[in-house]
Amino acid sequence: MESNVDRLGRRMVELNNALQDKRTNPDYGFENVKSVDMLIKFVITLDGSENGINDGIYIYMNDDGSIVNAEYFVKEKDDVTIISFTDEQLELIIELFSDVFTVNVD
């Protein structure tokens, strides 16, 4: 079974080859791309952070404008800790922020 590191290496070679194809052919259409999904990430930094520690919420919204996930983060110097919300916590975030952001996709 292929390791994820090996898979990443193989994918990077494929992406580099695609870049070379795009450079030589401006009409190159990325034929190897199976599908494209859009996910927008909003970073909300909460006020009242402690000295040297910042925290907040990552909110992920799809192209329909629906919040599909959110995570709590804590940044301390170069370290970042990310904690997934429980279903109940996620529902609170969705209710609080669902009408704050809008998405217009053409």
Side-chain angles (χ1 to χ4, degrees):
M1 182 176 204
E2 183 178 35
S3 78
N4 290 335
V5 173
D6 292 338
R7 179 169 298 154
L8 172 61
R10 184 174 49 83
R11 289 295 190 189
M12 292 307 298
V13 169
E14 291 173 4
L15 292 171
N16 185 52
N17 291 340
L19 177 60
Q20 299 309 317
D21 289 343
K22 182 178 179 189
R23 286 179 176 162
T24 59
N25 179 8
D27 295 326
Y28 176 74
F30 298 101
E31 287 80 12
N32 291 335
V33 174
K34 182 178 177 182
S35 68
V36 176
D37 295 319
M38 184 175 79
L39 193 61
I40 301 166
K41 177 182 176 181
F42 294 95
V43 179
I44 299 171
T45 303
L46 300 173
D47 193 24
S49 296
E50 299 172 31
N51 190 19
I53 300 174
N54 295 309
D55 66 339
I57 302 168
Y58 294 137
I59 294 179
Y60 303 94
M61 183 179 284
N62 65 15
D63 56 353
D64 293 329
S66 300
I67 295 174
V68 295
N69 198 7
E71 300 168 316
Y72 176 71
F73 70 86
V74 178
K75 293 181 181 180
E76 185 174 5
K77 297 182 183 176
D78 293 334
D79 293 329
V80 178
T81 301
I82 298 173
I83 302 170
S84 296
F85 287 118
T86 65
D87 290 343
E88 184 177 305
Q89 292 167 331
L90 180 58
E91 289 201 22
L92 182 145
I93 298 300
I94 291 171
E95 187 172 338
L96 181 62
F97 291 104
S98 64
D99 61 346
V100 173
F101 309 107
T102 58
V103 176
N104 295 317
V105 179
D106 291 329

